[in-house]
Amino acid sequence: MDFVLHTNHPCEGFCSFQLFHREVTPKTSTFVKPRATTSVIASGSSKTRFLVLSAHANSMDYNNNRTTNQPKGYEKRRKNGVFAAAKLEKIIADVNFKTIEKSPNGNSRSNGYVHDFEDTQSNYHLRNLVRNGELEEGFRYLECMVYRGDIPDIISCTSLIRGFCKVGKTRKATRVMEIIEESGAVPDVITYNVLISGYCRAGEIDNALKVLDRMSVSPDVVTYNIILRSLCDSGKLKQAMEVLDWQLERECYPDVITYTILIEATCRESGVGQAMKLLDEMRSRGCKPDVVTYNVLVNGICKEGRLDEAIKFLNGMPSYGCQPNVITHNIILRSMCSTGRWMDAEKLLSDMVSKGCSPSVVTFNILINFLCRKGLLGRAIDILDKMPSHGCTPNSLSYNPLLHGFCKEKKMERAVEYLEIMASRGCYPDIVTYNTLLTALCKDGKVDAALEILQQLSNKGCSPVLITYNTVIDGLAKVGRTEQAIELLNEMRRKRLKPDIITYSSLVGGLSREGKVDEAIKFFHDLEGLGVKPNAITYNTMMVGLCKVGQTDRAIDFLGYMVSRGCKPTENTYTILIEGVAHEGFTKEALELLNELCYRGVVKKSSAEKVAVKM
């Protein structure tokens, strides 16, 4: 009977990578010789395997014969099957198993020496576990393999590291790297890149740099690009430039991706002027910028508000040996629309087509969004209708601004009409589309229609999100239907959606307006119990409700509680309480308090006059 022993390895602390020497010949595959001085003959392995299979078959026959009578010739057929399986295993064992994967720089990675049959079977099983996403089981099996003296397959181990990194288990991924090195296998640059990338995605840039420092093979340009991207995205441009210097010292020369990452970060942190110097350095090192590099610069110029310079840069790109693409034009088009230069935008679109640069769906969506924001819905519809003639199929982002525009103008019939047109053209509404409609319906007081749409969402394959429920709950609370609003709150919880301050503020407001102040206070404390800090609006809503039912003294107590919880009262807080005092018949005292607050500058004179008129 075969069995394996599980071993436990400590996973605490950062790994101390061991260095293993291997000779690397540039631009050729690297083959690692097995460390063992003796080898297991494949045929011998198959014979052993055959004995195990035969014993297993005989045992099965004996057990079966104790309970049932097998058909005639059954035992002979069974033994023949076992023999055939053993023969097949011998053939497989004699094959030189080689797995080669190309690295980004064109070099081959190879784990292609002949294993004995048991090694091959172990690696095959490990590969299957990783492929099926059984990471923990794969990790345990890898430990067993190394304990038995098997050398694990680097590609399978790299996939295991990648799997752990994807789920945020970087320490486990690091432990896999340690196990690989302890086994005598040599990780290649791809394995290290996967681990470094995992650390960077997890925000553990310091650990990524430690791996870079301890690599047993030379880092490639991809290694540095991963680290530079992470540093630049974290706003650490200075440190990124230090890593670039380190890269150059190691004679690993930056590529166009390296410089594009740094130019983008420089535009963001130091301005386009500094980025242009980096562009000159890039060219001086013989690295030719591509369209992505130029797009980064065009975007930087536009963000600095220098649109005319960006247009000039766009027109000059062909002289630099680079044709602008649709993304270049879209960057400038978006800047034109945001600054209200509609005529220039139309001209740019015409120039794009005449130059043979086909507009994309994004191009048209930029224009539609701009026109809808300006209230030019008719022109937006014209653009939408032109899209198919340019080979572009409108998507939900094409229709959503139109629907929002119709809702804003309270043209609900047109909004519903375009919702139907959208679906008839094969473009199914997304949650943004429905949220737009629900917001408009609730603002218009048509909460029954909103509820009907909400209940249909799941059937339409579009799951409601937090903002969806918040919209309808707020709509119900405002029309005095808090019981239904609370039912929706419970439905949210069943769907594992966590209510936020907006959810509870809507309920507290609705209950307060209905005079259900005790229930409102309960929800207020539920909000605090969830670790959500109520804001001034929530406190004010609570005070309005208390004053409305003649409990101004409790409202004043709430003001004290508000201050003790570190929430600063607003002007509205004080005017609510003053109106509450006047409402209870203490008009003179309320006016004196109002004058005092106005004198101290807590309440504006204009606001004080409005409150005084109400008294």
Side-chain angles (χ1 to χ4, degrees):
M1 176 180 177
D2 295 336
F3 66 95
V4 293
L5 293 174
H6 290 267
T7 57
N8 294 320
H9 293 277
C11 299
E12 296 178 1
F14 190 81
C15 65
S16 177
F17 295 122
Q18 300 174 20
L19 300 179
F20 294 90
H21 176 71
R22 71 170 180 182
E23 293 181 5
V24 180
T25 304
K27 298 183 180 179
T28 61
S29 301
T30 304
F31 294 90
V32 183
K33 295 181 180 179
R35 292 193 172 191
T37 55
T38 60
S39 61
V40 180
I41 300 172
S43 59
S45 173
S46 288
K47 287 175 183 177
T48 305
R49 189 76 173 149
F50 173 71
L51 289 172
V52 171
L53 286 165
S54 298
H56 181 65
N58 290 335
S59 173
M60 289 294 292
D61 285 346
Y62 173 75
N63 290 333
N64 288 337
N65 285 333
R66 288 196 304 170
T67 54
T68 59
N69 293 321
Q70 301 294 347
K72 187 178 179 180
Y74 174 83
E75 185 176 343
K76 184 178 179 181
R77 288 198 305 274
R78 189 171 180 82
K79 286 183 178 179
N80 287 343
V82 172
F83 180 80
K87 188 175 180 181
L88 177 61
E89 288 186 10
K90 180 182 183 303
I91 293 168
I92 294 169
D94 289 337
V95 174
N96 181 14
F97 283 87
K98 290 186 179 182
T99 310
I100 299 175
E101 178 176 333
K102 288 287 183 181
S103 65
N105 59 14
N107 293 335
S108 298
R109 78 189 280 199
S110 175
N111 194 26
Y113 44 84
V114 181
H115 295 296
D116 62 21
F117 185 71
E118 284 75 14
D119 273 3
T120 302
Q121 282 290 84
S122 296
N123 278 311
Y124 179 76
H125 184 59
L126 176 63
R127 198 174 300 124
N128 278 338
L129 288 171
V130 175
R131 192 181 292 124
N132 294 333
E134 299 176 55
L135 303 179
E136 294 296 339
E137 185 61 32
F139 179 79
R140 287 191 291 270
Y141 192 76
L142 176 64
E143 286 186 312
C144 293
M145 282 180 65
V146 175
Y147 180 82
R148 291 195 304 264
D150 296 344
I151 296 179
D153 174 54
I154 291 298
I155 297 174
S156 299
C157 291
T158 303
S159 298
L160 188 58
I161 290 171
R162 184 181 287 109
F164 280 126
C165 288
K166 277 185 178 179
V167 296
K169 294 183 177 181
T170 51
R171 293 176 74 84
K172 209 64 172 283
T174 302
R175 181 60 192 140
V176 174
M177 180 69 84
E178 289 177 336
I179 291 171
I180 296 170
E181 293 184 327
E182 288 165 5
S183 73
V186 182
D188 61 12
V189 70
I190 296 174
T191 313
Y192 283 109
N193 287 352
V194 168
L195 182 58
I196 287 170
S197 179
Y199 272 129
C200 289
R201 281 200 303 271
E204 300 176 50
I205 187 65
D206 290 338
N207 283 340
L209 289 168
K210 287 176 184 176
V211 176
L212 175 67
D213 192 41
R214 292 181 165 105
M215 285 176 67
S216 59
V217 294
S218 296
D220 61 9
V221 70
V222 176
T223 318
Y224 287 105
N225 287 348
I226 292 166
I227 288 175
L228 290 171
R229 169 65 70 189
S230 184
L231 287 168
C232 290
D233 288 347
S234 303
K236 298 176 180 177
L237 179 59
K238 185 179 178 182
Q239 194 175 355
M241 298 306 289
E242 289 171 2
V243 172
L244 177 66
D245 292 339
W246 192 15
Q247 179 179 352
L248 292 168
E249 285 171 13
R250 291 189 176 189
E251 297 185 348
C252 179
Y253 298 105
D255 61 7
V256 65
I257 297 171
T258 315
Y259 277 110
T260 302
I261 291 167
L262 294 169
I263 286 170
E264 184 177 22
T266 305
C267 283
R268 194 165 51 239
E269 292 191 29
S270 306
V272 177
Q274 287 296 318
M276 287 294 188
K277 292 178 182 178
L278 203 53
L279 180 70
D280 292 338
E281 180 188 317
M282 178 183 182
R283 287 170 174 156
S284 69
R285 292 187 182 278
C287 187
K288 187 180 178 182
D290 62 9
V291 70
V292 179
T293 316
Y294 287 117
N295 287 348
V296 164
L297 288 164
V298 169
N299 190 50
I301 296 167
C302 287
K303 282 187 174 179
E304 289 184 3
R306 297 184 288 155
L307 180 55
D308 290 326
E309 286 183 46
I311 295 167
K312 187 177 178 182
F313 193 92
L314 168 76
N315 295 329
M317 278 176 64
S319 65
Y320 305 140
C322 184
Q323 290 294 330
N325 62 9
V326 65
I327 296 171
T328 324
H329 289 90
N330 287 348
I331 292 166
I332 291 181
L333 193 68
R334 185 176 282 107
S335 187
M336 285 176 171
C337 289
S338 65
T339 52
R341 291 170 61 169
W342 167 243
M343 299 301 292
D344 289 335
E346 278 192 323
K347 183 178 182 301
L348 183 66
L349 181 62
S350 177
D351 289 345
M352 277 179 72
V353 175
S354 64
K355 290 176 184 176
C357 181
S358 300
S360 66
V361 174
V362 175
T363 312
F364 289 108
N365 288 353
I366 291 167
L367 295 171
I368 290 169
N369 196 42
F370 166 74
L371 291 167
C372 289
R373 282 205 319 270
K374 292 291 182 182
L376 303 170
L377 301 182
R379 297 185 78 170
I381 291 168
D382 290 340
I383 296 288
L384 181 74
D385 293 338
K386 285 178 184 176
M387 288 177 70
S389 64
H390 289 277
C392 294
T393 304
N395 58 20
S396 60
L397 295 176
S398 313
Y399 289 98
N400 287 348
L402 271 172
L403 293 172
H404 185 266
F406 287 131
C407 290
K408 191 177 178 182
E409 294 183 4
K410 296 189 176 181
K411 296 178 180 177
M412 294 306 298
E413 295 80 9
R414 292 299 305 276
V416 173
E417 178 192 340
Y418 262 86
L419 185 67
E420 291 170 357
I421 290 170
M422 183 179 178
S424 69
R425 291 176 179 175
C427 178
Y428 296 101
D430 59 14
I431 195 62
V432 176
T433 316
Y434 286 114
N435 286 345
T436 302
L437 277 175
L438 290 171
T439 302
L441 288 167
C442 289
K443 277 185 179 178
D444 210 22
K446 297 176 180 177
V447 289
D448 288 317
L451 274 170
E452 188 179 343
I453 290 174
L454 178 64
Q455 300 307 324
Q456 291 174 357
L457 282 184
S458 296
N459 296 333
K460 294 178 183 289
C462 193
S463 298
V465 294
L466 177 62
I467 191 172
T468 317
Y469 278 104
N470 281 352
T471 300
V472 183
I473 285 171
D474 187 60
L476 288 166
K478 280 178 178 173
V479 295
R481 291 162 64 173
T482 50
E483 286 185 11
Q484 282 179 284
I486 292 168
E487 285 175 13
L488 282 185
L489 173 68
N490 294 330
E491 185 181 308
M492 278 178 70
R493 287 169 172 161
R494 286 195 298 273
K495 292 184 177 180
R496 300 185 182 279
L497 285 173
K498 188 178 179 182
D500 63 1
I501 190 167
I502 296 170
T503 321
Y504 282 101
S505 293
S506 298
L507 287 168
V508 167
L511 290 165
S512 296
R513 282 189 294 271
E514 290 179 31
K516 300 174 182 177
V517 289
D518 290 328
E519 201 172 344
I521 289 170
K522 178 185 173 296
F523 274 106
F524 182 90
H525 290 308
D526 284 349
L527 177 63
E528 289 187 308
L530 291 170
V532 181
K533 191 177 180 181
N535 57 22
I537 295 170
T538 317
Y539 280 104
N540 290 350
T541 303
M542 206 53 253
M543 290 178 202
V544 167
L546 289 165
C547 291
K548 190 175 179 180
V549 295
Q551 297 183 27
T552 307
D553 54 338
R554 289 183 72 185
I556 293 169
D557 289 341
F558 239 85
L559 172 64
Y561 183 71
M562 178 183 183
V563 173
S564 70
R565 302 294 288 178
C567 184
K568 187 179 179 181
T570 62
E571 181 186 70
N572 198 31
T573 312
Y574 293 109
T575 57
I576 288 166
L577 293 172
I578 289 168
E579 286 178 12
V581 170
H583 183 68
E584 292 195 21
F586 300 99
T587 308
K588 183 182 176 182
E589 289 82 354
L591 283 170
E592 287 175 359
L593 183 58
L594 182 63
N595 288 331
E596 179 67 22
L597 291 173
C598 192
Y599 176 74
R600 291 184 182 182
V602 177
V603 176
K604 293 176 186 175
K605 188 177 179 181
S606 57
S607 302
E609 287 172 355
K610 288 177 184 177
V611 173
V613 170
K614 289 180 184 179
M615 294 180 192

